Amino acid sequence: MTSMGTTDPGTAGTSEAIEIRPVSGRADLGAFIKLPWRIYRDDAQWVPPLLYEARKVLDRKRHPFHAHADVEYFLARRGGIVVGRIAAIVNHRFNEFHDVRTGTFGFFECVDDVQVARALLEAAHGWCGERGMDLLQGPFNFSTNDELYSPGVLVQGFDYPPVMLMAHSPPYYPRLLEECGFVKAKDLLSYWMEAQEPPERLVRGVARMKHSQNVVVRPIDMRHFDEEIERIKVIYHSAWERNWGFVPMTDAEFDYLAASLKPVVDPRFCVLAEIDGDPVAFGLQLPDLNRAIKPTNGRLLPLGWLTFLLHRRKLDTLRVLTLGVKPGHRHRGLDAMLILHLFTEGLKVGYHGAECAWILEDNLPMRRGLERTGARVYKVYRVYEKRIARET
C-alpha cells in the first residue's frame, strides 16, 4: 500500500513521496518497535519500553488479544527512512459486546508532519473500512484491558514522566490528529497523591464505614494466587461492565496479565474488600517500575538487569493500577476506603507519592473519592475518533 503521490512540505524539507506499507518480516517489525527512540530522542520525560515486552505484545502467536481481533501494522517511510507507524485493529469481542462496528488504531508514532500522520491514519481508516467498520477510535494499544501503554495521547502533563504502563506522547500529536479530522471521544485523567497525612475527617469516616458495613480489607494470599485471581476476575468484570470502552477479558487474557504482574505484586498493595466474607471490591497498586526501566534504555540483556535491580531498590512512588467495586456496593465509600488503605500502606514503607490512573472524565464517583483524599488531576489523555465513510 502506498500513498498516492503524497508529498511532505513539512519539517524534513523534502518533496519525496510518503510510502505506507504493512509490516513484513523481522526487519520491518524491528523498525516498528524501535521508531520511538527517534521520536523521543530529545524528550527527557520519555521512558523507553522494554524491547522484549513490546515484541511479546505485538506477536500474534503469543499475545491472547490476537485470538479475537484482527490487527495490521503499518510503517510510513520517506526516502527509505521510517517516519511513522500505526496499528489498525478490529476487536471482534468489543464489537460483539457493545453491538457496534468500531475499528481502532494504536501504537501511533509520527514525526511532526501532518502529511505523514494523514497517510498513516488513512491507512488505518481504509483497512478498518474494508472490514465493515463505521467508526475509527484511538489510540488504543490494543484495548482498555491489555495495552502496552494506556489509551489516548497526552493533552496535559507533558512535564512529568509516565508511570508504569502509562503513555507519553509529544505535544504535537493532538494537533496532528485534529488536522486529520479526528475529534475528541473521551478524556482520561491521571491523579497524583502526594505524601501527607490524610484528612482526619476521611479517616474517621472510613473507620465508621468499616464498622457499620462489616467491611474487612485484606491483602491477597499469594499462596493461593490462582484462587484470588478468580475472585478478582468476578469483581473486575462486574465493576467495569458499564464503563465506556470496556470489554470483558477472556480467561486467557486475564491469566496472561496476572502472570505478567505476579512477579512485581506486593500483597500489601493488592487488596480485597469483603463484606461478611464476600469479596465486593479490590484495589491494586504497583511500584513505579518505569523509574528503574528508564536507565536500561529498553534492554535488560546483557547488563540491563543489574541496572534495573539497582534502581528498583530506590523506588519511592507507586501507581494505583486498578480499583473496582461491584455495582450493588457502590456509593458506600468503598472506593475511598481502598484508596486510603493503599496509600497509607505505601506511606508505611517509604513511598511518598502515587499516581491513580486512568480515570474516565465522567466517572464522578471515583473522582470524588480520589479528591476526598487530597489527590489532584495532573495529566489528561485524550482518545480521538472519526467516522468511516464507506462506499455503499
Side-chain angles (χ1 to χ4, degrees):
M1 178 185 296
T2 59
S3 60
M4 300 300 180
T6 303
T7 59
D8 172 21
T11 56
T14 176
S15 59
E16 292 185 80
I18 300 165
E19 182 182 59
I20 306 291
R21 288 191 180 276
V23 166
S24 177
R26 291 178 60 87
D28 273 4
L29 184 61
F32 187 96
I33 290 171
K34 294 175 183 176
L35 176 61
W37 272 260
R38 178 185 177 193
I39 300 295
Y40 298 96
R41 61 189 173 192
D42 297 321
D43 190 333
Q45 305 303 338
W46 179 63
V47 176
L50 290 174
L51 289 169
Y52 84 92
E53 286 288 351
R55 291 191 183 99
K56 279 200 307 182
V57 169
L58 297 172
D59 190 331
R60 294 179 176 89
K61 295 180 180 179
R62 298 177 68 188
H63 195 281
F65 176 82
H66 299 279
H68 58 79
D70 298 324
V71 183
E72 187 68 271
Y73 309 126
F74 294 94
L75 284 172
R77 288 185 172 92
R78 184 173 50 216
I81 304 299
V82 175
V83 290
R85 73 178 195 185
I86 200 167
I89 305 158
V90 174
N91 184 346
H92 300 292
R93 189 169 172 84
F94 176 89
N95 286 332
E96 291 166 6
F97 184 75
H98 291 279
D99 192 23
V100 295
R101 293 186 295 185
T102 296
T104 59
F105 69 92
F107 301 95
F108 175 75
E109 301 287 3
C110 184
V111 297
D112 188 2
D113 188 315
V114 69
Q115 299 298 335
V116 176
R118 182 170 289 115
L120 286 165
L121 291 161
E122 285 178 354
H125 184 280
W127 188 89
C128 290
E130 290 169 2
R131 285 152 182 80
M133 301 299 105
D134 296 325
L135 185 70
L136 183 64
Q137 288 185 331
F140 291 100
N141 311 308
F142 287 106
S143 73
T144 58
N145 286 328
D146 50 4
E147 59 278 313
L148 182 63
Y149 293 127
S150 60
V153 296
L154 267 181
V155 296
Q156 177 186 322
F158 299 98
D159 294 333
Y160 301 95
V163 302
M164 183 182 183
L165 303 179
M166 293 298 291
H168 183 74
S169 56
Y172 60 83
Y173 276 11
R175 170 174 50 81
L176 291 184
L177 290 165
E178 290 163 13
E179 289 187 15
C180 292
F182 283 77
V183 297
K184 171 186 168 181
K186 187 75 70 172
D187 278 354
L188 317 174
L189 311 180
S190 291
Y191 278 81
W192 185 257
M193 300 173 64
E194 196 64 44
Q196 58 184 346
E197 289 298 319
E200 183 60 31
R201 183 176 63 178
L202 176 63
V203 174
R204 291 196 303 268
V206 165
R208 286 195 301 270
M209 283 188 290
K210 282 185 176 181
H211 178 73
S212 64
Q213 299 180 41
N214 197 26
V215 181
V216 174
V217 178
R218 66 167 179 86
I220 65 167
D221 185 348
M222 297 297 288
R223 297 170 301 175
H224 301 93
F225 185 77
D226 292 343
E227 292 90 336
E228 297 285 52
I229 290 300
E230 289 301 314
R231 296 181 182 98
I232 290 172
K233 189 185 300 184
V234 171
I235 299 170
Y236 181 85
H237 284 146
S238 64
W240 276 272
E241 184 177 9
R242 301 295 181 183
N243 274 16
W244 179 89
F246 174 74
V247 58
M249 284 196 233
T250 64
D251 287 342
E253 287 179 295
F254 213 102
D255 294 343
Y256 179 94
L257 182 60
S260 298
L261 295 178
K262 185 178 179 180
V264 296
V265 165
D266 183 328
R268 294 171 298 181
F269 302 148
C270 185
V271 297
L272 285 163
E274 297 177 333
I275 296 179
D276 297 324
D278 178 31
V280 297
F282 84 100
L284 168 64
Q285 67 181 358
L286 298 169
D288 179 16
L289 295 178
N290 268 9
R291 298 195 178 195
I293 291 170
K294 184 171 183 177
T296 72
N297 198 31
R299 297 181 182 274
L300 293 181
L301 297 175
L303 299 177
W305 274 109
L306 295 176
T307 302
F308 174 82
L309 292 173
L310 176 64
H311 286 270
R312 182 177 177 176
R313 295 171 58 187
K314 304 175 183 178
L315 298 181
D316 58 2
T317 56
L318 298 155
R319 179 190 169 189
V320 180
L321 184 66
T322 187
L323 190 149
V325 181
K326 282 184 176 180
H329 298 274
R330 292 174 183 165
H331 311 296
R332 298 183 181 182
L334 287 170
D335 48 359
M337 183 185 300
L338 287 175
I339 293 166
L340 179 64
H341 178 91
L342 291 170
F343 192 58
T344 53
E345 286 298 305
L347 286 175
K348 290 177 183 177
V349 291
Y351 290 95
H352 72 75
E355 177 176 304
C356 302
W358 44 268
I359 315 296
L360 293 171
E361 61 179 330
D362 50 3
N363 187 350
L364 298 182
M366 183 62 68
R367 294 186 62 182
R368 293 188 188 107
L370 284 164
E371 289 162 8
R372 282 198 295 269
T373 68
R376 61 180 177 85
V377 175
Y378 86 120
K379 286 188 179 185
V380 179
Y381 296 86
R382 181 162 296 164
V383 175
Y384 283 86
E385 65 184 17
K386 184 178 181 179
R387 302 301 303 179
I388 296 177
R390 292 187 289 113
E391 294 183 5
T392 57

